[in-house]
Amino acid sequence: MRVLVTGGAGYIGSGVVEELLASGHRAVVYDNLYKGHRDAVHPAAEFVHADLLDAKALHAAISGADAVVHLAAHSLVGESVQEPAKYYRNNVVAGLALADAMREHGVRWLVFSSTAAVYGEPAKQPIEETDPTAPTNPYGETKLAFENALRWYSAAYGLRSISLRYFNAAGATARCRERHEPETHLVPVVLQAAAGRIPEVTIFGADYPTPDGTCVRDYIHVSDLARAHLLALQALAAGHAGGSYNLGCGGSGYSVMQVIEVARSVSGRDIRLRIGPRRPGDPAVLVANSQRIMRDLGWRPRLQDLREIVRSAWEPLKP
Ligand code: UFG
C-alpha cells in the first residue's frame, strides 16, 4: 500500500512510518513541521512539507495514495482551553479538508489518531469504548467531532475509518523519540530531570483519590501504538466496517509517583521532586480496557512493563 501519513514527522507519526516501511508498505509523510522534525522523517519515506489547508499540496499528495493515517493535530489540553479556535481549525477544519480530498480522489481507508480525552472524566475504570464520551476540553471535543464526522462520511460516502483512542504514549524506538518543545509529558519530563537538564519535576497534585495520591495513567509503548495503525489499515483493506478502539496496556495503570520511582531505578539517578497544585482538567485515573482491539484486530502490547518503556526513552537521553 502507498500510505499518506499526516503528522509523520512527529513522535507517534514517525513510529507509524517505521512500522509501515518495515512491513513493506510505502509511506508519504505529510507534515507542516509545526511540531514535527525534519530529521524524524524516515529516509525511505517520501516527504511533503505542507499544511493540510494547502489544498494544492494536499490534492497532489493524496492522488495515488491507497490509504491515509491521520495524526497531524494540535494535542495540548491546556492550550486547547486557551485557544479553542486553533484546535477547531487544525483538528476539525483541516481534518475535513483531508477527508474531502480523500473522497475526491477515491481513497477509502483512513486510520485516525484519537485520544482518551474523548471520555472526559470517566465514571468507571477501565474505560470501554461503549462508555459515554463527554470531553472536558476543546482538544478532546475536536477529536471526538472528527470521529463523529467520520462515521457519517462512512455511511454516506463509503470512506471507512478506524479511530484509535490513545492512552499515554511513551518510550522510544531506534528512530522515534519524544521531542516536544516545550515538553509537558510526564515520562520525558522525568527523564530530563534524571539527565540533569531540568532541576526538578513538579508533581501536579498528590491529593487525588488514588493509592498514593497521584494520578494514574495507562502507559503504552510507542511501537505498540504504531503497530496498531498497521493492523487497522490491514483490517480496513480486508473489509472492516470501521469504528473506534481504545489503545492502552490496561491492568491497573501507573501513578505519577510510580513512574518517577521506575525512572530513578532505570537511570540510577536521583530525581528531585516538588509537589505542586493539580493541573486543571486532569482526571484522577485513566486506564483503558483494550479488549476490543485485541479481539477484532489481534493487537497485543509487546512492551507492557513500565521499566522497559522508560528504559527505551532513557537510552537516547542518558548523558
Ligand atoms: N504530570 C506531572 N508533572 C509533569 C507532567 C505530568 O505530575 O511535569 C502528571 C499529569 O498531571 C498527569 C500525568 O502526569 O497526571 C500524565 O501527564 P501527561 O501530560 O504525560 O499525559 P496526560 O495524561 O495529561 O495526557 C495524555 C495525552 C493527551 C491526552 C490525554 C488524555 O498526552 O494528549 O492523555 O486525557 F489528551
Side-chain angles (χ1 to χ4, degrees):
M1 264 192 257
R2 185 169 190 264
V3 184
L4 185 75
V5 184
T6 77
Y11 169 45
I12 298 169
S14 56
V16 170
V17 168
E18 205 177 341
E19 286 288 330
L20 286 170
L21 293 171
S23 306
H25 298 289
R26 287 161 62 201
V28 181
V29 169
Y30 192 100
D31 200 303
N32 63 8
L33 298 184
Y34 173 70
K35 284 280 167 91
H37 301 274
R38 179 64 183 88
D39 63 2
V41 177
H42 198 292
E46 290 173 48
F47 178 54
V48 180
H49 181 191
D51 194 275
L52 284 171
L53 292 171
D54 177 343
K56 201 168 156 213
L58 179 60
H59 282 263
I62 219 157
S63 71
D66 299 299
V68 174
V69 178
H70 176 40
L71 303 104
H74 293 321
S75 61
L76 294 176
V77 168
E79 181 188 62
S80 78
V81 177
Q82 303 301 322
E83 294 185 67
K86 178 173 174 178
Y87 279 70
Y88 275 88
R89 184 171 166 79
N90 199 28
N91 297 2
V92 180
V93 177
L96 291 175
L98 172 68
D100 288 334
M102 290 178 66
R103 284 172 60 203
E104 205 170 303
H105 291 272
V107 182
R108 291 176 305 132
W109 306 323
L110 172 69
V111 177
F112 173 53
S113 154
S114 189
T115 169
V118 300
Y119 296 108
E121 283 277 355
K124 70 165 193 35
Q125 303 287 340
I127 304 167
E128 293 171 86
E129 292 84 350
T130 45
D131 288 343
T133 47
T136 50
N137 53 64
Y139 169 58
E141 193 79 73
T142 54
K143 286 286 183 176
L144 184 61
F146 192 64
E147 275 197 31
N148 287 335
L150 288 175
R151 279 197 295 113
W152 295 108
Y153 271 52
S154 169
Y157 310 129
L159 192 170
R160 283 184 288 120
S161 63
I162 290 178
S163 296
L164 299 175
R165 295 175 175 170
Y166 309 162
F167 281 64
N168 288 62
T173 71
R175 285 209 49 85
C176 97
R177 64 189 174 91
E178 208 162 356
R179 283 189 285 162
H180 298 116
E181 255 326 308
E183 189 52 76
T184 61
H185 291 129
L186 182 66
V187 171
V189 165
V190 165
L191 293 178
Q192 281 179 6
R197 296 185 191 176
I198 55 171
E200 63 183 10
V201 175
T202 302
I203 296 182
F204 299 142
D207 58 350
Y208 283 94
T210 59
D212 65 19
T214 64
C215 288
V216 170
R217 292 290 182 273
D218 183 342
Y219 295 90
I220 168 173
H221 193 269
V222 65
S223 63
D224 284 326
L225 199 60
R227 205 174 54 260
H229 296 70
L230 188 67
L231 295 172
L233 276 180
Q234 287 165 350
L236 289 169
H240 190 295
S244 302
Y245 289 104
N246 287 344
L247 208 44
C249 290
S252 40
Y254 295 94
S255 72
V256 172
M257 204 58 103
Q258 284 176 309
V259 171
I260 293 167
E261 281 310 325
V262 166
R264 279 179 171 146
S265 148
V266 163
S267 66
R269 292 178 165 243
D270 187 31
I271 298 171
R272 284 181 52 200
L273 301 180
R274 194 175 73 82
I275 308 287
R278 290 184 177 194
R279 187 171 67 176
D282 271 346
V285 182
L286 282 176
V287 175
N289 176 329
S290 299
Q291 292 300 318
R292 185 189 272 190
I293 192 165
M294 292 184 179
R295 187 192 63 216
D296 290 4
L297 306 190
W299 176 82
R300 296 279 179 285
R302 291 178 184 160
L303 283 166
Q304 233 168 328
D305 178 9
L306 185 64
R307 282 187 70 83
E308 288 189 57
I309 296 178
V310 170
R311 187 178 290 118
S312 73
W314 174 243
E315 281 306 315
L317 271 186
K318 65 183 180 193

